[in-house]
Coordinates of all heavy atoms in Angstrom, one line a residue:
M5 N -0.9 62.0 8.1 CA -2.2 62.2 7.5 C -2.3 61.3 6.2 O -3.3 61.4 5.5 CB -2.4 63.6 7.1 CG -2.7 64.5 8.3 SD -3.5 66.1 8.1 CE -4.7 65.9 7.0
V6 N -1.3 60.5 5.9 CA -1.3 59.7 4.7 C -2.5 58.8 4.8 O -3.2 58.7 3.7 CB 0.0 59.0 4.5 CG1 0.0 57.9 3.4 CG2 1.2 59.9 4.3
D7 N -2.7 58.2 5.8 CA -3.9 57.3 6.0 C -5.2 58.0 5.7 O -6.2 57.4 5.1 CB -4.0 56.5 7.3 CG -2.8 55.5 7.5 OD1 -2.3 55.0 6.4 OD2 -2.5 55.2 8.6
C8 N -5.3 59.2 6.3 CA -6.5 60.0 6.0 C -6.7 60.3 4.5 O -7.9 60.1 4.0 CB -6.3 61.3 6.8 SG -7.8 62.3 6.8
I9 N -5.7 60.6 3.9 CA -5.8 61.0 2.4 C -6.2 59.7 1.6 O -7.1 59.8 0.8 CB -4.5 61.7 1.9 CG1 -4.3 63.0 2.6 CG2 -4.5 61.7 0.4 CD1 -2.9 63.5 2.4
R10 N -5.6 58.6 2.0 CA -6.0 57.4 1.3 C -7.4 57.0 1.5 O -8.2 56.6 0.6 CB -5.1 56.3 1.8 CG -3.7 56.3 1.2 CD -2.9 55.1 1.5 NE -1.5 55.3 0.9 CZ -0.4 55.0 1.5 NH1 -0.4 54.5 2.8 NH2 0.7 55.2 0.9
T11 N -7.8 57.1 2.8 CA -9.3 56.8 3.1 C -10.2 57.7 2.3 O -11.2 57.3 1.8 CB -9.5 57.0 4.6 OG1 -8.6 56.0 5.3 CG2 -10.9 56.6 5.0
D12 N -9.9 59.1 2.4 CA -10.7 60.0 1.6 C -10.8 59.6 0.1 O -11.9 59.7 -0.4 CB -10.1 61.5 1.6 CG -10.1 62.0 3.0 OD1 -10.8 61.6 3.9 OD2 -9.4 63.0 3.3
R13 N -9.7 59.4 -0.5 CA -9.7 59.0 -1.9 C -10.6 57.8 -2.2 O -11.4 57.7 -3.1 CB -8.3 58.9 -2.5 CG -7.6 60.2 -2.5 CD -6.2 60.2 -3.0 NE -6.4 60.0 -4.5 CZ -5.3 59.6 -5.3 NH1 -4.1 59.5 -4.8 NH2 -5.5 59.4 -6.5
A14 N -10.4 56.7 -1.3 CA -11.1 55.5 -1.5 C -12.6 55.8 -1.3 O -13.4 55.3 -2.1 CB -10.6 54.4 -0.6
C15 N -12.9 56.6 -0.3 CA -14.3 56.9 -0.1 C -15.0 57.6 -1.3 O -16.0 57.3 -1.7 CB -14.4 57.8 1.2 SG -16.1 58.2 1.8
A16 N -14.2 58.6 -1.8 CA -14.7 59.4 -3.0 C -15.0 58.4 -4.2 O -16.0 58.6 -4.8 CB -13.8 60.4 -3.4
E17 N -14.1 57.5 -4.3 CA -14.3 56.5 -5.5 C -15.5 55.6 -5.3 O -16.3 55.4 -6.1 CB -13.1 55.7 -5.7 CG -11.9 56.4 -6.2 CD -12.1 56.9 -7.7 OE1 -12.9 56.3 -8.5 OE2 -11.6 58.0 -8.0
V18 N -15.7 55.1 -4.0 CA -16.8 54.3 -3.8 C -18.1 55.0 -3.9 O -19.1 54.6 -4.4 CB -16.7 53.7 -2.3 CG1 -18.0 52.9 -1.8 CG2 -15.6 52.7 -2.3
C19 N -18.1 56.3 -3.3 CA -19.3 57.2 -3.5 C -19.7 57.4 -4.9 O -20.9 57.3 -5.3 CB -19.1 58.5 -2.7 SG -19.1 58.3 -0.9
S20 N -18.7 57.7 -5.7 CA -18.9 58.0 -7.1 C -19.5 56.7 -7.8 O -20.5 56.8 -8.6 CB -17.6 58.4 -7.8 OG -17.7 58.6 -9.2
T21 N -19.0 55.5 -7.6 CA -19.4 54.3 -8.2 C -20.8 54.0 -7.7 O -21.7 53.6 -8.5 CB -18.4 53.2 -7.8 OG1 -17.2 53.5 -8.4 CG2 -18.9 51.9 -8.5
T22 N -21.1 54.2 -6.4 CA -22.4 53.9 -5.9 C -23.5 54.8 -6.5 O -24.5 54.3 -6.9 CB -22.4 54.2 -4.3 OG1 -21.5 53.4 -3.7 CG2 -23.7 53.9 -3.8
V23 N -23.2 56.1 -6.7 CA -24.1 57.0 -7.4 C -24.4 56.5 -8.8 O -25.6 56.5 -9.3 CB -23.6 58.4 -7.4 CG1 -24.4 59.3 -8.3 CG2 -23.6 59.0 -6.0
K24 N -23.4 56.1 -9.5 CA -23.6 55.6 -10.9 C -24.5 54.4 -10.9 O -25.3 54.2 -11.8 CB -22.2 55.3 -11.6 CG -21.4 56.6 -11.8 CD -20.0 56.3 -12.3 CE -19.2 57.5 -12.4 NZ -17.8 57.2 -12.6
L25 N -24.2 53.4 -10.0 CA -25.0 52.2 -10.0 C -26.5 52.5 -9.6 O -27.4 51.8 -10.1 CB -24.4 51.2 -9.0 CG -23.1 50.5 -9.5 CD1 -22.5 49.7 -8.4 CD2 -23.3 49.8 -10.8
L26 N -26.6 53.4 -8.7 CA -28.0 53.8 -8.3 C -28.7 54.4 -9.5 O -29.9 54.1 -9.8 CB -28.0 54.8 -7.1 CG -27.8 54.2 -5.8 CD1 -27.4 55.2 -4.7 CD2 -28.8 53.2 -5.3
A27 N -28.1 55.2 -10.2 CA -28.6 55.9 -11.4 C -29.0 54.9 -12.5 O -30.0 55.1 -13.2 CB -27.6 57.0 -12.0
M28 N -28.2 53.8 -12.6 CA -28.5 52.8 -13.6 C -29.6 51.7 -13.0 O -29.9 50.8 -13.8 CB -27.2 52.0 -13.9 CG -26.1 52.8 -14.6 SD -24.6 51.9 -14.7 CE -24.9 50.3 -14.4
D29 N -30.0 51.9 -11.8 CA -30.9 51.0 -11.2 C -30.3 49.6 -11.3 O -31.0 48.6 -11.6 CB -32.3 51.0 -11.8 CG -33.4 50.4 -10.9 OD1 -33.2 50.4 -9.7 OD2 -34.4 50.0 -11.5
S30 N -29.0 49.5 -11.0 CA -28.3 48.3 -11.0 C -28.7 47.3 -9.9 O -29.0 47.7 -8.8 CB -26.8 48.5 -10.9 OG -26.0 47.4 -10.8
A31 N -28.7 46.0 -10.3 CA -28.9 45.0 -9.3 C -27.8 45.0 -8.2 O -28.0 44.5 -7.1 CB -28.9 43.6 -9.9
F32 N -26.6 45.6 -8.4 CA -25.6 45.7 -7.5 C -25.7 46.9 -6.6 O -24.8 47.1 -5.7 CB -24.2 45.7 -8.2 CG -24.0 44.5 -9.0 CD1 -24.1 44.6 -10.5 CD2 -23.8 43.3 -8.5 CE1 -23.9 43.4 -11.2 CE2 -23.6 42.1 -9.4 CZ -23.7 42.2 -10.7
A33 N -26.5 47.8 -6.8 CA -26.7 49.1 -6.1 C -26.8 48.8 -4.6 O -26.1 49.5 -3.9 CB -27.8 49.9 -6.6
K34 N -27.6 47.9 -4.1 CA -27.7 47.8 -2.6 C -26.5 47.4 -2.0 O -26.1 47.9 -0.9 CB -28.8 46.7 -2.3 CG -29.1 46.6 -0.9 CD -30.1 45.6 -0.5 CE -30.2 45.5 1.0 NZ -31.0 44.3 1.5
A35 N -25.7 46.5 -2.6 CA -24.4 46.0 -2.0 C -23.5 47.2 -2.0 O -22.7 47.3 -1.1 CB -23.9 44.9 -2.9
M36 N -23.5 48.0 -3.0 CA -22.5 49.1 -3.1 C -23.0 50.2 -2.0 O -22.1 50.8 -1.3 CB -22.6 49.8 -4.5 CG -21.7 49.1 -5.4 SD -19.9 48.8 -4.9 CE -19.4 50.6 -4.9
V37 N -24.3 50.4 -1.8 CA -24.8 51.3 -0.8 C -24.3 50.8 0.6 O -23.9 51.6 1.4 CB -26.3 51.6 -0.9 CG1 -26.8 52.3 0.4 CG2 -26.7 52.2 -2.1
E38 N -24.4 49.5 0.8 CA -23.8 49.0 2.1 C -22.4 49.2 2.2 O -22.0 49.7 3.3 CB -24.1 47.5 2.1 CG -25.6 47.1 2.3 CD -25.9 45.7 2.1 OE1 -25.0 44.9 1.6 OE2 -27.1 45.3 2.4
K39 N -21.6 49.0 1.2 CA -20.2 49.3 1.3 C -19.9 50.8 1.4 O -19.0 51.2 2.2 CB -19.4 48.7 0.1 CG -17.9 48.8 0.1 CD -17.3 48.3 1.4 CE -17.5 46.7 1.5 NZ -16.7 46.2 2.7
C40 N -20.6 51.6 0.7 CA -20.5 53.0 0.8 C -20.7 53.5 2.3 O -20.0 54.3 2.8 CB -21.4 53.7 -0.2 SG -21.2 55.5 -0.3
H41 N -21.8 53.0 2.9 CA -22.1 53.3 4.2 C -20.9 53.1 5.2 O -20.5 53.8 6.0 CB -23.4 52.6 4.7 CG -23.8 52.7 6.1 ND1 -23.5 51.8 7.1 CD2 -24.4 53.8 6.7 CE1 -24.0 52.2 8.2 NE2 -24.5 53.5 8.0
E42 N -20.4 51.9 5.0 CA -19.3 51.4 5.9 C -18.1 52.3 5.7 O -17.4 52.7 6.6 CB -18.9 49.9 5.5 CG -17.6 49.4 6.2 CD -17.2 48.0 5.7 OE1 -18.1 47.3 5.2 OE2 -16.1 47.7 5.8
I43 N -17.7 52.6 4.4 CA -16.5 53.4 4.2 C -16.7 54.8 4.6 O -15.8 55.5 5.0 CB -16.1 53.2 2.6 CG1 -15.6 51.8 2.5 CG2 -15.1 54.2 2.3 CD1 -15.3 51.5 1.0
C44 N -17.9 55.4 4.3 CA -18.1 56.7 4.7 C -18.1 56.9 6.2 O -17.6 57.9 6.8 CB -19.6 57.2 4.3 SG -19.5 57.6 2.5
K45 N -18.5 55.9 7.1 CA -18.4 56.0 8.5 C -16.9 56.0 8.9 O -16.5 56.8 9.7 CB -19.1 54.8 9.1 CG -20.6 55.0 9.2 CD -21.5 54.0 10.0 CE -20.7 52.7 10.2 NZ -21.5 51.7 11.0
Q46 N -16.2 55.1 8.3 CA -14.7 55.0 8.5 C -14.0 56.4 8.1 O -13.1 56.8 8.8 CB -14.0 53.9 7.8 CG -14.4 52.5 8.3 CD -13.8 51.4 7.5 OE1 -12.9 51.6 6.6 NE2 -14.2 50.2 7.8
C47 N -14.4 56.9 7.0 CA -13.8 58.2 6.6 C -14.2 59.3 7.6 O -13.3 60.1 7.9 CB -14.3 58.5 5.2 SG -13.3 59.9 4.4
A48 N -15.4 59.4 8.0 CA -15.8 60.4 8.9 C -15.0 60.3 10.3 O -14.6 61.3 10.8 CB -17.3 60.2 9.2
D49 N -14.9 59.1 10.7 CA -14.1 58.8 12.0 C -12.6 59.3 11.8 O -12.0 59.9 12.6 CB -14.2 57.4 12.4 CG -15.4 56.9 12.8 OD1 -16.3 57.8 13.2 OD2 -15.6 55.7 12.9
E50 N -12.0 58.9 10.6 CA -10.6 59.2 10.3 C -10.4 60.7 10.3 O -9.6 61.3 10.9 CB -10.1 58.6 9.1 CG -8.7 58.9 8.7 CD -7.6 58.5 9.6 OE1 -7.8 57.4 10.2 OE2 -6.6 59.2 9.8
C51 N -11.2 61.4 9.5 CA -11.2 62.8 9.3 C -11.5 63.6 10.7 O -11.0 64.6 10.9 CB -12.1 63.3 8.2 SG -11.5 62.9 6.6
G52 N -12.4 63.0 11.4 CA -12.8 63.6 12.7 C -11.6 63.6 13.6 O -11.7 64.4 14.7
N53 N -10.5 62.9 13.4 CA -9.4 62.9 14.3 C -8.4 64.1 14.1 O -7.5 64.3 14.8 CB -8.6 61.6 14.1 CG -9.3 60.4 14.6 OD1 -10.0 60.5 15.6 ND2 -9.1 59.3 13.9
H54 N -8.7 64.9 13.1 CA -7.8 66.0 12.8 C -8.5 67.4 12.9 O -9.8 67.5 12.8 CB -7.4 65.9 11.3 CG -6.7 64.6 11.0 ND1 -5.4 64.3 11.4 CD2 -7.3 63.4 10.3 CE1 -5.2 63.0 11.1 NE2 -6.2 62.5 10.4
D55 N -7.8 68.4 13.2 CA -8.3 69.7 13.5 C -8.4 70.6 12.4 O -8.9 71.7 12.5 CB -7.4 70.4 14.6 CG -7.6 69.7 16.0 OD1 -8.7 69.2 16.3 OD2 -6.6 69.7 16.7
H56 N -7.8 70.2 11.2 CA -7.9 71.1 10.0 C -9.3 71.3 9.5 O -10.1 70.4 9.7 CB -7.1 70.5 8.8 CG -5.7 70.2 9.2 ND1 -4.7 71.1 9.4 CD2 -5.1 69.0 9.4 CE1 -3.6 70.6 9.7 NE2 -3.7 69.2 9.6
Q57 N -9.7 72.5 9.1 CA -11.0 72.8 8.7 C -11.5 71.8 7.5 O -12.6 71.3 7.5 CB -11.3 74.2 8.3 CG -12.7 74.6 7.9 CD -13.6 74.4 9.1 OE1 -13.3 74.8 10.3 NE2 -14.7 73.7 8.9
H58 N -10.5 71.5 6.6 CA -11.0 70.7 5.5 C -11.2 69.3 6.0 O -12.1 68.6 5.4 CB -9.9 70.7 4.4 CG -8.6 70.1 4.8 ND1 -7.6 71.0 5.3 CD2 -8.0 68.9 4.8 CE1 -6.5 70.3 5.5 NE2 -6.7 69.0 5.3
C59 N -10.6 68.8 7.0 CA -10.8 67.4 7.7 C -12.2 67.5 8.3 O -13.0 66.6 8.2 CB -9.7 67.1 8.6 SG -8.2 66.7 7.8
K60 N -12.6 68.6 9.1 CA -13.7 68.7 9.7 C -14.9 68.7 8.6 O -16.0 68.1 8.8 CB -13.9 70.0 10.5 CG -13.0 70.0 11.8 CD -13.1 71.3 12.5 CE -12.1 71.3 13.6 NZ -12.1 72.5 14.4
D61 N -14.7 69.5 7.5 CA -15.7 69.5 6.5 C -15.9 68.1 5.8 O -17.1 67.7 5.6 CB -15.3 70.5 5.3 CG -15.3 71.9 5.8 OD1 -15.9 72.3 6.9 OD2 -14.6 72.8 5.2
C62 N -14.8 67.4 5.6 CA -14.9 66.1 5.0 C -15.6 65.1 6.0 O -16.4 64.3 5.6 CB -13.4 65.5 4.8 SG -13.4 63.9 4.0
A63 N -15.3 65.2 7.2 CA -15.9 64.4 8.3 C -17.5 64.6 8.3 O -18.2 63.6 8.3 CB -15.4 64.6 9.7
E64 N -17.9 65.8 8.1 CA -19.3 66.2 8.2 C -20.0 65.6 6.9 O -21.1 65.1 6.9 CB -19.5 67.7 8.2 CG -20.9 68.1 8.2 CD -21.8 67.6 9.4 OE1 -21.3 67.2 10.5 OE2 -23.0 67.4 9.2
A65 N -19.4 65.8 5.7 CA -19.9 65.3 4.4 C -20.0 63.8 4.4 O -20.9 63.2 4.0 CB -19.0 65.8 3.3
C66 N -19.0 63.1 5.0 CA -19.0 61.6 5.0 C -20.1 61.1 6.0 O -20.7 60.1 5.8 CB -17.6 61.1 5.5 SG -16.4 61.3 4.1
K67 N -20.3 61.8 7.1 CA -21.3 61.5 8.0 C -22.7 61.6 7.3 O -23.6 60.7 7.4 CB -21.3 62.4 9.3 CG -22.4 61.9 10.3 CD -22.3 62.7 11.5 CE -23.3 62.4 12.6 NZ -24.6 61.7 12.1
K68 N -22.9 62.7 6.6 CA -24.2 62.9 5.9 C -24.4 61.7 4.9 O -25.5 61.3 4.7 CB -24.1 64.2 5.2 CG -24.4 65.4 6.2 CD -24.4 66.8 5.4 CE -24.5 67.9 6.4 NZ -24.5 69.2 5.7
C69 N -23.3 61.5 4.2 CA -23.4 60.3 3.2 C -23.8 59.1 3.8 O -24.6 58.3 3.4 CB -22.2 60.3 2.3 SG -22.3 59.1 1.0
A70 N -23.1 58.7 5.0 CA -23.4 57.5 5.6 C -24.8 57.5 6.2 O -25.5 56.5 6.0 CB -22.4 57.4 6.8
D71 N -25.3 58.6 6.6 CA -26.7 58.7 7.0 C -27.7 58.5 5.9 O -28.7 57.8 6.0 CB -27.0 60.1 7.7 CG -26.3 60.3 9.1 OD1 -25.8 59.3 9.6 OD2 -26.3 61.4 9.5
A72 N -27.3 59.0 4.7 CA -28.2 58.9 3.5 C -28.2 57.4 3.1 O -29.2 56.9 2.7 CB -27.7 59.8 2.4
C73 N -27.0 56.7 3.2 CA -26.9 55.3 2.9 C -27.8 54.5 3.8 O -28.5 53.6 3.4 CB -25.5 54.8 2.9 SG -24.5 55.4 1.6
E74 N -27.7 54.8 5.1 CA -28.5 54.1 6.1 C -30.0 54.3 5.8 O -30.7 53.3 5.9 CB -28.2 54.7 7.5 CG -28.6 53.8 8.6 CD -28.1 54.2 9.9 OE1 -26.8 54.6 10.1 OE2 -28.8 54.1 10.9
A75 N -30.4 55.5 5.4 CA -31.8 55.7 5.2 C -32.2 54.9 4.0 O -33.4 54.4 3.9 CB -32.1 57.3 4.9
Y76 N -31.4 54.9 3.0 CA -31.7 54.1 1.7 C -31.9 52.6 2.0 O -32.8 51.9 1.5 CB -30.6 54.2 0.7 CG -30.7 53.4 -0.5 CD1 -31.5 53.9 -1.6 CD2 -30.2 52.1 -0.7 CE1 -31.7 53.1 -2.7 CE2 -30.4 51.3 -1.7 CZ -31.1 51.9 -2.8 OH -31.3 51.0 -3.9
L77 N -31.1 52.1 2.9 CA -31.1 50.7 3.4 C -32.2 50.3 4.3 O -32.6 49.2 4.4 CB -29.8 50.3 4.0 CG -28.5 50.4 3.0 CD1 -27.2 50.2 3.8 CD2 -28.7 49.3 1.9
A78 N -32.9 51.4 4.9 CA -33.9 51.1 5.8 C -35.2 50.6 5.2 O -35.4 50.7 4.1 CB -34.2 52.3 6.7

């Protein structure tokens, strides 16, 4: 589960940074949303491989975030 934890932590950092850039109306926000979308999908896939409830919860949260990023980019 080491890879899962690393992916979760990276995803959380990217999401946090993306929110900050969006709040600032930064010129870099769109690029971060694109990266956030990619990482959230990977995180959802990784967490979806595990049967623990916290992994299932994380996979669902990451899927929702990826969907929100996709909607923003549309």
Side-chain angles (χ1 to χ4, degrees):
M5 290 200 42
V6 172
D7 288 338
C8 185
I9 294 166
R10 285 186 180 137
T11 301
D12 290 346
R13 292 183 70 189
C15 185
E17 289 297 326
V18 169
C19 289
S20 177
T21 301
T22 302
V23 167
K24 290 173 187 171
L25 290 175
L26 286 166
M28 295 173 13
D29 197 25
S30 170
F32 302 107
K34 183 180 178 197
M36 282 302 295
V37 171
E38 290 169 349
K39 186 51 70 175
C40 188
H41 177 255
E42 176 186 333
I43 291 173
C44 284
K45 287 192 329 184
Q46 289 178 10
C47 191
D49 290 344
E50 177 65 34
C51 288
N53 290 328
H54 304 284
D55 291 327
H56 305 289
Q57 186 59 48
H58 62 269
C59 290
K60 291 177 184 179
D61 294 343
C62 183
E64 180 62 27
C66 288
K67 183 180 179 334
K68 286 180 182 178
C69 186
D71 290 347
C73 289
E74 194 170 319
Y76 176 87
L77 294 168

